[in-house]
Amino acid sequence: MSTNRRTFIKAVGATAAAVGVSSTPAAGAAQAGAPGLRALAFDAYGTLFDVFSVTALCEQLFPGNGDALAQVWRAKQLQYSLLRSLMGRYADFWQVTQDGLVYGAKSLSLDLTADRRRQLMDAYLNLTAFPDVRPGLEALRARGVRLAILSNGEPKMLAAAARNAGIDTLLDRIISADEVKAFKPAPPVYALGPARLGVTTGQMGFVSSNSWDINGATSAGLTTFWIQRNAAVPPEELAYNTDRVVGAITDLPAVFGA
């Protein structure tokens, strides 16, 4: 695991928004298929799209501070979404992302000009997809599974990221928390998935690499799949663990059989 990811995980843990995974399937997890599931909704940031693909640009604009800025930016993005939910003061994820960037620059005493801010925000529209994403989605679609993104992201930023990553044509829906003016892990966000995909809660699975997100979806009644992108961090202690742990999105088609 890269140094920037190790540092980020520690930073996010301090804001109660850590990303975590487990290398062992949860107790009671379904080990041989997913009977009844017809659709899967995927978290976007950290699951489909690598949020740290902005690090190179951060380093280009602020030599010697790229990793630190990317880490603080992501940590504050998550923290601000949680805080705004608790405060009842919603702002869409584009604004939250920009606020996190501004804070990160200030905390590191960096000169974030309007042009630099624009470049970095535009980078969020062009995040790199993880290598397992496209082949995994293609294989799931070939099995007739309905596919969607279910994310805190603002609709236009999600649509741009999916299009620029070349996965938009593999998705049936892109579902944004903006519809309910709240952020995950609020239950109404997860309820959007079955409603927009035209399935019952029992027919939809939810996929994320973020442990806090998995706990939220499990609590909301969805069957959950935790993508194991890093086995070094334990799951959150929130009592609603995943139904199944997989190593990559390309492991999911086997759950649905041939």
Side-chain angles (χ1 to χ4, degrees), residues 42-67:
F42 292 80
D43 169 58
Y45 301 114
T47 301
L48 299 178
F49 308 121
D50 183 0
V51 295
F52 289 111
S53 59
V54 302
T55 303
L57 180 58
C58 290
E59 182 63 23
Q60 177 185 326
L61 296 176
F62 302 106
N65 290 284
D67 283 355

Side-chain angles (χ1 to χ4, degrees), residues 4 11 17 42 49 90 96 121 139 153 166 190 218 232 242 247:
N4 66 306
F42 292 80
F49 308 121
Y90 180 81
V96 168
M121 288 298 295
Y190 299 106
T218 303
T242 190

Side-chain angles (χ1 to χ4, degrees), residues 83-106:
L83 290 175
R84 281 190 171 277
S85 289
L86 290 170
M87 293 162 61
R89 299 292 184 179
Y90 180 81
D92 68 39
F93 206 62
W94 183 258
Q95 183 64 53
V96 168
T97 300
Q98 181 169 264
D99 291 344
L101 171 59
V102 171
Y103 175 92
K106 287 181 177 179

Side-chain angles (χ1 to χ4, degrees), residues 47-257:
T47 301
L48 299 178
F49 308 121
D50 183 0
V51 295
F52 289 111
S53 59
V54 302
T55 303
L57 180 58
C58 290
E59 182 63 23
Q60 177 185 326
L61 296 176
F62 302 106
N65 290 284
D67 283 355
L69 178 58
Q71 293 157 19
V72 177
W73 184 6
R74 172 62 169 166
K76 283 297 174 179
Q77 179 195 56
L78 291 171
Q79 186 186 49
Y80 286 169
S81 67
L82 291 171
L83 290 175
R84 281 190 171 277
S85 289
L86 290 170
M87 293 162 61
R89 299 292 184 179
Y90 180 81
D92 68 39
F93 206 62
W94 183 258
Q95 183 64 53
V96 168
T97 300
Q98 181 169 264
D99 291 344
L101 171 59
V102 171
Y103 175 92
K106 287 181 177 179
S107 73
L108 296 167
S109 300
L110 302 176
D111 182 18
L112 184 68
T113 64
D115 182 62
R116 288 171 173 171
R117 182 175 63 185
R118 178 191 58 76
Q119 289 184 65
L120 288 166
M121 288 298 295
D122 284 349
Y124 245 84
L125 306 178
N126 292 278
L127 293 173
T128 302
F130 288 103
D132 58 317
V133 172
R134 185 174 183 84
L137 295 181
E138 287 176 337
L140 286 165
R141 192 171 182 84
R143 284 164 171 75
V145 182
R146 302 202 70 196
L147 304 174
I149 287 176
L150 176 57
S151 169
N152 283 339
E154 183 271 339
K156 290 181 181 178
M157 65 189 296
L158 288 172
R163 181 177 62 253
N164 292 332
I167 64 170
D168 55 322
T169 58
L170 299 173
L171 301 167
D172 293 289
R173 295 294 298 265
I174 296 178
I175 306 164
S176 169
D178 194 61
E179 289 192 44
V180 292
K181 303 297 188 247
F183 292 117
K184 295 184 295 182
V189 181
Y190 299 106
L192 286 171
R196 297 295 174 265
L197 285 170
V199 296
T200 66
T201 298
Q203 292 172 328
M204 196 189 91
F206 180 75
V207 184
S208 180
S209 66
N210 302 311
S211 177
W212 60 268
D213 199 9
I214 287 293
N215 275 264
T218 303
S219 175
L222 299 177
T223 298
T224 54
F225 299 86
W226 193 6
I227 302 297
Q228 183 185 352
R229 297 214 183 275
N230 167 25
V233 178
E236 299 288 355
E237 293 296 328
L238 292 170
Y240 292 92
N241 293 323
T242 190
D243 292 296
R244 188 181 180 102
V245 178
V246 295
I249 293 174
T250 45
D251 294 334
L252 290 171
V255 175
F256 290 85

